[in-house]
Amino acid sequence: MTAAEAHIVRTVVGIIGNIISGFLFLSPVPTFYEIWKKGSVEQFSPAPYLATLVNCMVWTLYGLPMVNPDNVLVLTINGSGSVVEIVYVTL
């Protein structure tokens, strides 16, 4: 396999991973819809969402071009995940 082919395979696998991760970040939407309707968090703990937010923020820093060049996929999905998690924690 040539270097160009390896880069293409890496990019395709990265895009597939980003799509799967996007669905993972959006999986709690039904829970937050119920929270929104009821107006109360009831017994739900914010700890998993805060932990995911911190995780996404650290990976976003790692994906910055000045830290690690050519990591656009890491930057985009974790930046998006950070935004989603901030919305969850805010609700």
Side-chain angles (χ1 to χ4, degrees):
M1 181 179 297
T2 67
E5 291 171 334
H7 181 70
I8 290 170
V9 169
R10 178 177 172 235
T11 302
V12 169
V13 170
I15 290 170
I16 292 168
N18 277 6
I19 291 168
I20 292 169
S21 295
F23 283 117
L24 179 69
F25 289 135
L26 294 174
S27 64
V29 167
T31 301
F32 282 94
Y33 179 71
E34 290 299 318
I35 289 171
W36 182 267
K37 277 183 20 182
K38 292 179 182 177
S40 172
V41 294
E42 295 175 350
Q43 79 280 3
F44 295 109
S45 170
Y49 306 104
L50 290 170
T52 304
L53 174 60
V54 171
N55 179 49
C56 286
M57 292 174 123
V58 170
W59 277 104
T60 300
L61 287 173
Y62 173 76
L64 290 174
M66 66 205 86
V67 176
N68 197 352
D70 198 30
N71 266 339
V72 174
L73 294 174
V74 171
L75 179 65
T76 56
I77 192 59
N78 286 293
S80 302
S82 294
V83 171
V84 169
E85 294 300 324
I86 286 171
V87 169
Y88 290 162
V89 171
T90 302
L91 285 176

